[in-house]
Structure formats: structure tokens, C-alpha cells
Amino acid sequence: MAETITKHERNLSAVIHGATLGRFFFPLGQFLFPLLFWLPNRKQYAFVDYHGKQALNFQISMALYALVIGMISFPFFLGFLPDIFNGGIFEWTHSRHGGPFQFNMIDTFWDSPRLWWPLGLTGILELALYAVNIIYTILATLRTSEGEYFKYPLTIPFIK
């Protein structure tokens, strides 16, 4: 199959996958940069069209998964918020030192399992999702440059 795919198609498809790393240089770069390479070439080359859809579907799926994980952690964060200002870690009182704002570190704040284990678990899930995104983007770029049809795991087919 690699014989029928031109070098231009392989390079263009690899650039589309690699362009998703544009998130490090530009907000929403993981969507905009691949679109810039995919849209003008999708009707000319079937290989480029396939990989453009794969790259965008994977990035949309990863963004959706990150949003869901963030939404799961949000109630735990809100449960923690009332304790911050109500005699917890911050106090809005006058101290002996003359300032209206006082910073107190209390032991029960750090020992509160209702806050830290859910937030820590969702933080670990976000980091794992981030690592999966980077690793599979690099893998897709390398495999595509060799002329292989690469399919990302955990991808929801939004663009068909």
C-alpha cells in the first residue's frame, strides 16, 4: 500500500498529525493548524483526508475527555471552597501584625480526604490523558510518514 501513496501525501499527512502539537504555541492550535493543512487537500488525496479526519477526531475526543474529567473534579473543588474563607486557610480579620488579610495553615485542611483524593485522582487522570495525547500524536506522525493508515485509540468519530 505504501507504493501507491506518494511522498507528498505521506508528508502532508504527517504534518497534519504533527500540527496538533501547535497547542503549545497557539490557543486551540490542536484544531486550527491541522485544519489549515487538511481542508485544502482533503478532496485531492484520500490518504490525507483519512488522516486529517483521524487527527481532528482524536483531538476533539481528547478535549471532550479532559472536559468530562474536569467536570468530575468540579464538585469536589466547590465543596472545598466554603472552608477557605470561613475560618479555614484564609481569614479576613485583623491580625496583630496590622494587616486585614491573614494566611493560616491548619492541619485539618491538608488531612481532608474528601478534597484531596478526588482532586488528586482527577489530576492524575488529566496527566495520563495528556501523555496519551502526546505519545499517540508522535506515533501517528511517524507511522503516517511511513505510509501506514493509522487509527487512534479512544477516538469518537465526530467527522466522518
Side-chain angles (χ1 to χ4, degrees), residues 68-118:
V68 168
I69 292 171
M71 288 173 55
I72 289 170
S73 68
F74 193 68
F76 297 105
F77 183 71
L78 283 182
F80 153 71
L81 280 179
D83 294 339
I84 288 180
F85 297 109
N86 189 15
I89 206 169
F90 300 111
E91 290 186 51
W92 297 99
T93 61
H94 290 284
S95 67
R96 291 186 286 163
H97 305 292
F101 185 69
Q102 189 176 5
F103 185 72
N104 290 331
M105 296 300 286
I106 55 175
D107 293 338
T108 58
F109 172 75
W110 299 108
D111 295 335
S112 177
R114 71 181 173 90
L115 167 69
W116 291 112
W117 76 266

Side-chain angles (χ1 to χ4, degrees), residues 138-156:
I138 293 170
L139 188 63
T141 303
L142 294 174
R143 295 264 174 91
T144 302
S145 68
E146 295 170 356
E148 294 180 30
Y149 280 87
F150 186 82
K151 184 164 175 37
Y152 286 101
L154 306 170
T155 304
I156 302 168

